[in-house]
Amino acid sequence: MFVLDTLIQGILLGGLYALFATGLSLIFGIMRLVNLAHGDFMIVGAFAVLVLVEALGLPIVFAAALAGVAMFVLGYALQRLLLNRTLGNDILPPLLVTFGLSIILQNGMLETFSADTRRLNLGPLSEASIPLGGGLAAGVVPVLTFASAVLVILFLNWLFYRTETGRAFRATSDNPEIAQLMGIDNNRIFSLAMALALVVVAIAGLYLGARATFDPLIGPSRLIFAFEAVIIGGLGSFWGTLIGGIILGLAQTIGAQVSPEWQTLSGHVVFLIVLVLRPRGLFPRSVD
Amino acid sequence: MPEMSRYQVAKSTRASTIALLVLVVVIAILVAAPAFVSRSLLQDLFFVLTMVVLAQCWNLLAGYGGLVSIGQQAYVGLGAYAGFGFAILLGMNPLVAILAAGVIGALLSVPTAYIVFRLQGAYFAIGTWVAAEVYRLLFAQWKALGGGTGTSLPSEVARSVWGVGWVREVFDVKSSAARDIISYWVALLLAVIVIGAIYAFLRTRNGLALSAIRDNPDAAESIGVDTSRAKLAVYIFAATGAALAGALIYFQKASITPQSAFSVIDWTAFVLFIVVIGGIGTLEGPIIGALILFALQNWFADYGTWYLMALGALAIAVMLVAPKGIWGWVQARYDFSIFPTRRRLIGPDTPVPDYTQPVQEVKAPAPVGVSGAELPNEVTTMFDIETDVLIIGSGPAGGASAALLSSYGIPNIMIEKYGWLANTPRAHITNQRTMEVLRELGIEEEAKEKSVPQELMGNNVFCTSLAGEEIGRLLTWGNHPSRKADYDLASPCRICDIPQTLLEPIIVGKAMETGTVSRFKTEYVSHMQDADGVVATVRDRVADQTYRIRAKYMIGADGARSIITEQLGLPMQGEMGLEGSMNIEFTADLSKYVAHRPSVLYWIFQPGSNIGGIGAGVIRMVRPWNKWLSIYGYDVKDGPPNLTSQEAADIVRGLIGDQDVDVTVTKLSYWTVNNMVASNYSTGRVFCMGDAVHRHPPTNGLGSNTSIQDAYNLCWKLKLVLEGKADENLLDTYNEERQPVGRQIVTRANKSIQDYAPIFETLGLLQPGSPDDIKRRMDARKEPTVEADARRKALNKYFRHKSYEFNCHGVELGQRYASRAVVPDGTPEPEYTRDRELYYHATTWPGARIPHVWLDVDQEKVSTLDLVGRGRFVLLTGVSGAGWVEAAARASAETEVDVRAYQIGPGCEVNDTFGDWAMQSEVSDSGCVLVRPDGYVGWRAQSLSAEPTVDLTRVMQTILGRT
């Protein structure tokens, strides 16, 4: 029973990590950009929701939607005005610029919101749980998180493989030069992708803030979880990312049962083991 | 082919040769630097040199090897931990330990590379970060080195550093400075070796291979360049360099935690910014970048988060605008290089540099030894926690210190052994001087709301029991009409009664609200001092872990059982445990006995109630009129009697004199009457205050009040010294000013106990006898005889004499200071026209508290005490005192200490509507009164002097201890 409980918690935690990872995976897949400020943008998203709820008194669903729109605009502008200028053969500029952004975001939030830990209050929902029989229960929020992760991935797969925009995404990803020759405006596509990624980031931020406390400085550690989920799952596959998130979630939950200090560490260890045994991840896209 | 021979391949240029010669000179100067630069500059140089080493290593990795890592903190931390491990656990000399740490870095980099090299490009970057996180989490498990909270370098390891004796002799410095010098030399040596090695390496075949890999891996591989081996070599080299630097840095810091040693910000973000801003892919760039970072840090680090944001923005801007950094721009513009690594083809058309000159070898200075632990002050994140002032104890002294320091903007941490503040009512009389401090802190109103007002405090009843005969009554705490005026005239604040259980949360709440970091259930263990600060070891009683707090100053406010005063060996005079006493807290509705004579204290004279305790039995109001506390004595020779609640309730009922009253005893505690004062309150950077240094019975109600005044006296001095505006010797005046007060109140409180004895004597309660005998002796004073009349007169005199306990306004409010922080104005101390203990004598004589008068600012009634305080000096002058206002502004600018001037009088910012200031100021209209931040007059002038600026500046410099 205890084992089963741990498994359920781990899988549900994996849903959160999959949400963390999807945005990262999306961006890397399309423009080979690793956004080192990814984790910090999640925290920005969480604070955005918090401010809308606490300062304006909006209901959380509405606040989240508004934050999603704001992040979409932010993502588009960020890519258009800044990040597009860093893309190229050299990997250093995008890494450094996003690293710089990460530090600016962390300290900007620290200045604005102080180092206090916060939490998004979902009211009675926060503590509610669904009985699964046999004394087992799953929290409503973790279940919602997991469901959202699945929905986001379903939506992205639909977008990628069933729409015109998705085709442009895939084309640019496969070969940006040729795509451009075919009349695709790469800058626009990249900006759209970043905008989309930041919407996913905002959703991730919402659940990050609802499931646990957050503060302005925890972004980088969440980036690492996202990154590990992507690598474990294998580059280029959203479903792989979900599996990667679940494996990471399970590893951490099981590790935490051994000792709370081992939670993060066991996630890292599983990541390293996967890296040694299957360097391309568990479910890589056949053609990279 | 004669034509071909005109082409040659050159590495050096004439300019680069000259530059290298200059470099050798620079290195020679740097080696000799300890002889002529200050210790703090040397520590700065140490910082720059270590950052240069880390930047060069990262530059080699990313700029030449194309391996963009954001996990180099892994090796800094590894090196640091390995160094500590070798030195502490294996007893290696720190120099050897640094080298061994380098070896460990190299060894562990191989399996790490095996894993992270599976990732490419940006993913490699995050992979290295994960690796660093894994190392951090693993080292946090290493309990022998402190686990998650880290550890400090034991002083014996620090002392074992080679060469300290020699350096001390040659440079004539203290051993801590000598260790700084040795650390600096090792850093210089390391920087020269690393730069030299990278330079040499880049000019070799392998170095060229690297550049080839970076520029085009496929092409390089196709012509036979083995990319993987060259990359691995670079990775191992960078890891080794970082590990050596890490070990060195942390030996200098002398303390380590996993968070700081594996900090991505400190060891990778800053390093990355250094390289990018200075110029990536060049050897010169990291040096320039490190100097720029150092300059920025010196100028802007105080801005904290804004500084980091600006740094991030600067790096982004450089990357977008000038991706080759500052040196890249110089190179492109002037084609100049100090460390030329490129080969250039020189033909007939090429302007020929003098390539025949061989490149100068860079000679490294001989190592002299290696630094171990001295506690440096320039480096960040040295201890688990750092702060400016560490406060031990959260009672009235500690809490007030925290609140005051926070109100002045001084970072402070307050630790408290227990989980919350006072758990028994203890101190309660809150005098006007204390209320003035609370007023400045903005918590006067809150305290008043929770207090019992003056009007309900003062029917001090002397009786045989609450229900029994009232022998006499004294109007106390300024409630006698003749004394009410004295109290009202003296202060904008009213005396009140607020138990410690209610006052402490208000003070500590204010402190925490305004910035104090407080840690409850945290116990002080020990401390050590050095020239720059105090390192205290404290124990978290929840997690049962010890950690260290580094502070520039420490306040020991750890109460009557102070460990700190004992550890410091402060000279204590007097005795502890003179009498035994117990506090019986109880609830009972006593309104029918007290409604017609509300008071905080009811004194019970019964046979035996004079034994031990504070002179007589006491029923003290805690909350009107159902929460009470009885003070009852026991013979200290027999030890605490260990009463049951039932027995305690019996004592209480005896004091009440009504066996039917419903008494519930809620708490029983034992204490002793002490008569002890420290003849010196401080040692070095540790200042003790409150009960730690003055221990006395509650009579006179001065304990908490005096403790808060200790804090009020010290905190502004700490502020000015910490801000670098006053000399450290200003802090000596804390002891000079406060110790005599402590001595006086300890004596006063003990004397008040003894003043009860004659009352018992006169009432005939001291001789044994049956209850009837006693009743007869007590009634003896009621006879119409001469003898009985004498008895009545004596009793009256003794009761009136108790005003020295209960109306002691002069002691409460009239303390005067004499020290170097008070500058005499040449006038003699005004005479005391009335009893100096009973009456407060208002004066602006330097060393006295500024007299209170009501003034008018914008139609608002404002006290002189409202004008002063809040960490500033204030100069009060009259309508003709414009010269002083200007002098104050100039003296402010000169001393950098805020001196706010107010002209008081009609047409001025502050109006003297009642004319009281004119009567009270004791200086002429053009004179001035300079008030210190604690409301004490620091100096005054009878009239405008010939050179007010010169005079005022001189006075300020004297007070600040700078003359």
Side-chain angles (χ1 to χ4, degrees):
Chain A
M1 212 40 83
F2 178 69
V3 173
L4 209 54
D5 185 50
T6 306
L7 290 180
I8 291 170
Q9 304 311 329
I11 290 169
L12 292 178
L13 183 62
L16 182 68
Y17 292 162
L19 271 179
F20 288 0
T22 309
L24 196 71
S25 178
L26 176 72
I27 292 304
F28 185 80
I30 295 175
M31 57 185 114
R32 299 287 181 273
L33 172 91
V34 169
N35 180 7
L36 290 182
H38 182 78
D40 306 297
F41 277 112
M42 289 196 272
I43 310 301
V44 169
F47 271 115
V49 178
L50 186 79
V51 166
L52 290 171
V53 170
E54 287 193 349
L56 303 182
L58 297 181
I60 195 142
V61 179
F62 198 49
L66 213 58
V69 173
M71 293 292 272
F72 184 91
V73 175
L74 176 67
Y76 196 93
L78 180 76
Q79 186 67 35
R80 192 92 204 185
L81 301 176
L82 188 65
L83 295 180
N84 274 339
R85 303 180 55 182
T86 68
L87 296 178
N89 285 330
D90 193 352
I91 62 158
L92 186 63
L95 274 180
L96 190 102
V97 168
T98 54
F99 199 43
L101 267 179
S102 162
I103 287 181
I104 292 173
L105 287 176
Q106 284 175 43
N107 287 288
M109 287 189 285
L110 204 58
E111 187 63 37
T112 317
F113 301 107
S114 85
D116 296 344
T117 55
R118 311 295 181 92
R119 187 167 188 164
L120 290 175
N121 190 357
L122 299 187
L125 218 56
S126 299
E127 305 301 330
S129 60
I130 304 163
L132 301 174
L136 291 174
V140 169
V141 176
V143 169
L144 270 180
T145 312
F146 193 89
S148 303
V150 172
L151 282 176
V152 163
I153 290 171
L154 281 172
F155 169 77
L156 286 179
N157 270 328
W158 170 80
L159 184 80
F160 261 60
Y161 296 104
R162 297 277 182 275
T163 67
E164 204 53 29
T165 314
R167 211 158 65 153
F169 279 160
R170 282 182 288 135
T172 320
S173 165
D174 289 345
N175 193 328
E177 284 83 13
I178 304 286
Q180 210 152 12
L181 288 177
M182 296 294 124
I184 292 173
D185 178 354
N186 281 352
N187 279 344
R188 202 188 132 262
I189 286 298
F190 288 160
S191 304
L192 207 58
M194 182 57 86
L196 205 58
L198 281 206
V199 172
V200 179
V201 158
I203 298 170
L206 168 72
Y207 286 112
L208 178 151
R211 283 201 49 154
T213 57
F214 61 96
D215 66 66
L217 299 182
I218 63 160
S221 68
R222 299 308 180 269
L223 163 70
I224 289 183
F225 296 160
F227 166 74
E228 288 176 338
V230 171
I231 299 292
I232 294 174
L235 291 171
S237 155
F238 290 130
W239 291 116
T241 300
L242 179 64
I243 305 283
I246 290 172
I247 289 172
L248 185 66
L250 279 172
Q252 290 195 0
T253 314
I254 294 166
Q257 296 298 333
V258 179
S259 155
E261 292 160 340
W262 278 84
Q263 177 174 354
T264 313
L265 195 54
S266 25
H268 293 334
V269 168
V270 166
F271 161 75
L272 292 177
I273 291 171
V274 170
L275 206 53
V276 170
L277 301 180
R278 298 281 299 266
R280 287 163 52 82
L282 298 179
F283 306 95
R285 206 164 69 168
S286 48
V287 185
D288 199 17
Chain B
M1 290 185 288
E3 198 51 28
M4 279 304 285
S5 68
R6 291 172 61 196
Y7 287 91
Q8 298 201 21
V9 173
K11 293 188 203 169
S12 62
T13 64
R14 180 192 286 266
S16 75
T17 310
I18 293 169
L20 270 177
L21 282 170
V22 171
L23 202 68
V24 171
V25 174
V26 168
I27 291 170
I29 292 172
L30 284 175
V31 171
F36 51 83
V37 306
S38 73
R39 187 172 166 200
S40 71
L41 180 58
L42 210 62
Q43 288 169 339
D44 291 343
L45 284 170
F46 175 83
F47 168 77
V48 172
L49 288 169
T50 51
M51 288 313 268
V52 164
V53 170
L54 292 173
Q56 290 291 3
C57 288
W58 189 82
N59 182 40
L60 178 69
L61 260 185
Y64 290 101
L67 294 164
V68 181
S69 161
I70 47 178
Q72 280 301 92
Q73 69 273 20
Y75 298 105
V76 173
L78 262 179
Y81 265 99
F84 268 50
F86 285 130
I88 297 175
L89 304 178
L90 301 184
M92 259 185 207
N93 190 282
L95 171 65
V96 184
I98 289 176
L99 292 176
V103 173
I104 292 290
L107 289 178
L108 283 176
S109 71
V110 177
T112 311
Y114 172 74
I115 294 174
V116 294
F117 273 37
R118 289 160 184 270
L119 296 164
Q120 302 291 322
Y123 278 82
F124 170 81
I126 310 189
T128 57
W129 193 356
V130 174
E133 282 295 291
V134 170
Y135 281 124
R136 178 175 70 81
L137 292 166
L138 286 175
F139 277 95
Q141 306 283 325
W142 193 2
K143 300 290 185 238
L145 286 183
T149 53
T151 191
S152 285
L153 203 63
S155 50
E156 58 270 20
V157 176
R159 277 196 292 273
S160 72
V161 172
W162 291 334
V164 169
W166 181 81
V167 172
R168 283 186 63 171
E169 239 167 66
V170 172
F171 292 97
D172 187 25
V173 290
K174 286 189 204 153
S175 64
S176 57
R179 286 194 283 258
D180 280 353
I181 291 173
I182 294 170
S183 291
Y184 161 80
W185 275 338
V186 175
L188 182 61
L189 175 69
L190 185 59
V192 170
I193 289 177
V194 165
I195 295 172
I198 295 176
Y199 181 46
F201 172 73
L202 290 175
R203 288 164 64 98
T204 64
R205 229 183 116 80
N206 275 326
L208 288 172
L210 257 191
S211 305
I213 296 164
R214 179 192 53 182
D215 295 337
N216 191 335
D218 297 335
E221 207 155 3
S222 69
I223 58 165
V225 177
D226 183 350
T227 61
S228 57
R229 276 186 57 187
K231 281 190 178 189
L232 184 63
V234 163
Y235 188 80
I236 295 172
F237 181 93
T240 312
L244 287 167
L248 175 59
I249 290 168
Y250 278 87
F251 273 126
Q252 170 74 2
K253 290 187 179 204
S255 153
I256 193 169
T257 65
Q259 292 79 8
S260 76
F262 292 93
S263 161
V264 67
I265 296 283
D266 287 353
W267 310 128
T268 293
F270 282 141
V271 166
L272 222 121
F273 292 159
I274 285 175
V275 175
V276 168
I277 292 169
I280 193 166
T282 66
L283 277 170
E284 297 86 347
I287 301 174
I288 292 167
L291 289 169
I292 290 174
L293 180 83
F294 169 69
L296 291 175
Q297 198 144 359
N298 249 12
W299 293 328
F300 303 117
D302 286 347
Y303 297 94
T305 53
W306 291 105
Y307 162 67
L308 288 168
M309 280 189 267
L311 207 59
L314 179 65
I316 292 177
V318 168
M319 197 80 248
L320 292 178
V321 178
K324 290 282 164 201
I326 291 173
W327 191 255
W329 178 80
V330 170
Q331 258 184 337
R333 202 178 159 96
Y334 301 106
D335 191 23
F336 171 71
S337 186
I338 298 172
F339 303 102
T341 54
R342 288 175 299 166
R343 285 162 168 77
R344 45 182 83 216
L345 188 63
I346 296 162
D349 301 328
T350 316
V352 181
D354 185 2
Y355 50 82
T356 52
Q357 291 289 321
V359 173
Q360 199 75 30
E361 284 257 344
V362 181
K363 280 262 192 306
V368 181
V370 72
S371 162
E374 187 56 29
L375 305 166
N377 61 345
E378 303 298 319
V379 219
T380 53
T381 58
M382 271 182 314
F383 287 87
D384 306 348
I385 304 178
E386 280 186 72
T387 188
D388 275 5
V389 182
L390 171 64
I391 302 160
I392 313 296
S394 66
S401 298
L404 286 163
L405 288 170
S406 289
S407 79
Y408 299 151
I410 300 295
N412 62 88
I413 294 175
M414 179 181 76
I415 69 163
E416 165 60 48
K417 183 176 173 185
Y418 298 103
W420 184 233
L421 304 166
N423 61 346
T424 57
R426 289 185 283 230
H428 54 119
I429 302 293
T430 305
N431 70 31
Q432 290 171 299
R433 189 61 187 136
T434 298
M435 292 303 282
E436 286 168 9
V437 176
L438 302 187
R439 185 180 174 94
E440 176 180 329
L441 288 170
I443 49 181
E444 184 195 8
E445 287 306 316
E446 201 181 339
K448 269 161 74 178
E449 281 166 20
K450 301 227 162 123
S451 72
V452 170
Q454 185 179 10
E455 294 72 33
L456 296 179
M457 289 169 68
N459 284 284
N460 201 72
V461 167
F462 304 109
C463 56
T464 57
S465 70
L466 218 46
E469 182 187 5
E470 179 163 349
I471 307 161
R473 195 185 299 185
L474 180 69
L475 289 178
T476 54
W477 312 118
N479 275 299
H480 192 282
S482 74
R483 299 308 316 271
K484 186 79 168 70
D486 292 337
Y487 275 73
D488 285 358
L489 284 168
S491 170
C493 304
R494 301 279 81 88
I495 188 171
C496 63
D497 184 279
I498 169 167
Q500 212 170 330
T501 38
L502 297 180
L503 181 59
E504 282 185 6
I506 297 175
I507 296 175
V508 170
K510 187 68 187 180
M512 289 169 72
E513 179 192 334
T514 47
T516 294
V517 174
S518 66
R519 305 226 156 182
F520 286 91
K521 289 234 183 225
T522 299
E523 185 178 17
Y524 164 83
V525 178
S526 64
H527 78 273
M528 53 184 192
Q529 295 193 49
D530 58 36
D532 308 311
V534 179
V535 179
T537 302
V538 303
R539 191 170 70 89
D540 182 321
R541 298 173 71 205
V542 179
D544 193 22
Q545 280 192 320
T546 56
Y547 58 95
R548 285 165 199 79
I549 302 177
R550 167 106 190 157
K552 299 199 178 84
Y553 294 98
M554 183 165 98
I555 292 177
D558 54 344
R561 284 184 288 260
S562 172
I563 297 167
I564 297 174
T565 49
E566 203 170 296
Q567 287 175 347
L568 288 175
L570 292 185
M572 305 298 293
Q573 297 176 334
E575 285 173 79
M576 299 274 280
L578 292 173
E579 305 285 358
S581 196
M582 67 184 96
N583 281 0
I584 307 168
E585 288 173 58
F586 64 97
T587 54
D589 181 0
L590 300 181
S591 26
K592 69 173 167 176
Y593 297 120
V594 299
H596 58 294
R597 46 181 183 180
S599 179
V600 290
L601 296 171
Y602 300 87
W603 296 84
I604 318 293
F605 298 93
Q606 292 175 351
S609 75
N610 61 317
I611 295 172
I614 53 173
V618 178
I619 294 179
R620 173 191 146 196
M621 178 272 296
V622 175
R623 294 274 83 186
W625 305 99
N626 54 8
K627 283 205 172 133
W628 304 87
L629 182 157
S630 273
I631 305 176
Y632 199 77
Y634 65 85
D635 194 332
V636 74
K637 290 194 288 292
D638 302 338
N642 259 326
L643 300 180
T644 62
S645 313
Q646 196 51 51
E647 291 166 319
D650 288 342
I651 292 178
V652 169
R653 281 198 205 91
L655 293 172
I656 297 170
D658 179 349
Q659 294 304 317
D660 298 329
V661 72
D662 199 3
V663 170
T664 311
V665 172
T666 52
K667 194 170 226 163
L668 191 58
S669 51
Y670 302 95
W671 49 280
T672 61
V673 169
N674 304 321
N675 181 357
M676 185 171 265
V677 65
S679 50
N680 183 13
Y681 279 10
S682 67
T683 301
R685 297 173 160 264
V686 180
F687 299 86
C688 293
M689 56 170 63
D691 282 0
V693 286
H694 37 77
R695 305 168 188 174
H696 53 90
T699 31
N700 283 69
L702 288 168
S704 157
N705 291 305
T706 306
S707 303
I708 289 171
Q709 293 311 320
D710 287 346
Y712 199 41
N713 184 286
L714 176 65
C715 288
W716 67 273
K717 296 171 183 173
L718 281 177
K719 166 191 186 268
L720 290 175
V721 171
L722 282 164
E723 290 173 348
K725 293 170 179 171
D727 188 273
E728 280 204 328
N729 66 34
L730 173 62
L731 300 172
D732 298 342
T733 64
Y734 165 66
N735 185 59
E736 290 166 37
E737 295 179 348
R738 290 306 298 174
Q739 200 277 338
V741 176
R743 177 183 304 280
Q744 183 193 358
I745 60 124
V746 169
T747 310
R748 179 62 260 165
N750 275 286
K751 200 154 172 296
S752 290
I753 290 184
Q754 290 148 21
D755 289 345
Y756 286 103
I759 301 176
F760 277 84
E761 169 83 57
T762 315
L763 289 173
L765 288 171
L766 295 181
Q767 299 99 314
S770 68
D772 281 346
D773 292 340
I774 289 165
K775 174 96 172 74
R776 197 168 28 77
R777 289 203 294 267
M778 277 191 76
D779 287 346
R781 72 184 200 286
K782 299 174 181 170
E783 301 299 319
T785 61
V786 177
E787 192 271 331
D789 187 41
R791 225 176 250 269
R792 290 194 289 274
K793 285 205 170 80
L795 214 47
N796 191 352
K797 189 181 97 185
Y798 297 141
F799 283 145
R800 282 184 190 282
H801 190 72
K802 289 308 291 177
S803 272
Y804 281 94
E805 178 176 351
F806 302 119
N807 290 303
C808 216
H809 206 209
V811 176
E812 291 164 25
L813 211 54
Q815 302 292 353
R816 294 183 188 170
Y817 297 151
S819 79
R820 281 169 292 158
V822 171
V823 181
D825 67 337
T827 59
E829 181 168 9
E831 268 185 53
Y832 286 90
T833 52
R834 301 195 281 178
D835 186 283
R836 60 193 293 175
E837 283 193 307
L838 291 181
Y839 298 93
Y840 160 69
H841 291 70
T843 176
T844 60
W845 189 69
R849 163 183 162 281
I850 181 78
H852 153 73
V853 299
W854 288 113
L855 301 163
D856 181 284
V857 179
D858 290 335
Q859 307 282 319
E860 200 182 324
K861 214 169 130 190
V862 158
S863 165
T864 34
L865 283 130
D866 295 329
L867 299 180
V868 306
R870 298 190 290 286
R872 312 162 309 167
F873 281 80
V874 167
L875 185 132
L876 303 175
T877 181
V879 180
S880 319
W884 288 118
V885 177
E886 196 192 326
R890 295 231 174 114
S892 249
E894 177 77 22
T895 58
E896 294 177 357
V897 173
D898 204 1
V899 183
R900 174 75 161 89
Y902 290 100
Q903 280 177 280
I904 303 177
C908 300
E909 182 184 356
V910 181
N911 198 353
D912 187 17
T913 23
F914 299 96
D916 284 344
W917 177 246
M919 301 296 293
Q920 188 63 74
S921 70
E922 298 173 4
V923 295
S924 77
D925 188 50
S926 70
C928 75
V929 177
L930 178 69
V931 188
R932 311 192 311 190
D934 58 357
Y936 271 75
V937 176
W939 180 68
R940 66 178 178 178
Q942 286 302 324
S943 56
L944 190 61
S945 67
E947 287 182 293
T949 305
V950 174
D951 292 340
L952 188 60
T953 308
R954 174 186 56 80
V955 166
M956 285 297 295
Q957 300 282 23
T958 309
I959 293 175
L960 299 173
R962 300 204 295 211
T963 50

